[in-house]
Amino acid sequence: MKPAAFEYVRARTVVDAIAALAAYDGEAKILAGGQSLVPMMNFRLLAPAALVDINGIPGLDLIEETAEGGLRIGALVRHHRLMTAPAVRARFAAST
């Protein structure tokens, strides 16, 4: 099945993404990976008015240590990168 018609917005900055989401007044969804969103749209379980693509926003794929000893994990960090990042492994070691 094909998804219902929707607008596509390619955000270049976080400010662009926030503005696009506000413009659609709660009727837009963020597209980052699309692993669950796109199939749900194809089955028409979701029919957003717009998709706001954040993949082109620089800096959202960073994993960085904070001054307080925590981690800041960006919205576009992929699972494999998260699992293999030295800063994550040092704090949350798990046996494999």
Side-chain angles (χ1 to χ4, degrees):
M1 186 176 275
K2 300 273 184 187
F6 60 90
E7 297 290 321
Y8 175 79
V9 178
R10 185 183 309 244
R12 298 286 183 201
T13 66
V14 172
V15 172
D16 289 347
I18 292 169
L21 291 169
Y24 286 96
D25 196 31
E27 296 298 318
K29 296 287 184 193
I30 294 175
L31 177 64
Q35 293 292 321
S36 56
L37 176 62
V38 173
M40 290 180 74
M41 289 175 63
N42 284 338
F43 285 112
R44 297 202 178 199
L45 298 172
L46 286 176
L51 291 184
V52 180
D53 187 346
I54 64 169
N55 284 287
I57 300 176
L60 292 184
D61 61 346
L62 297 178
I63 298 173
E64 57 189 14
E65 298 181 52
T66 66
E68 299 81 24
L71 290 176
R72 182 172 291 121
I73 301 169
L76 292 176
V77 172
R78 305 299 183 210
H79 288 116
H80 182 264
R81 180 142 178 263
L82 185 62
M83 290 174 22
T84 59
V88 174
R89 293 179 66 104
R91 287 172 175 75
F92 305 102
S95 59
T96 56

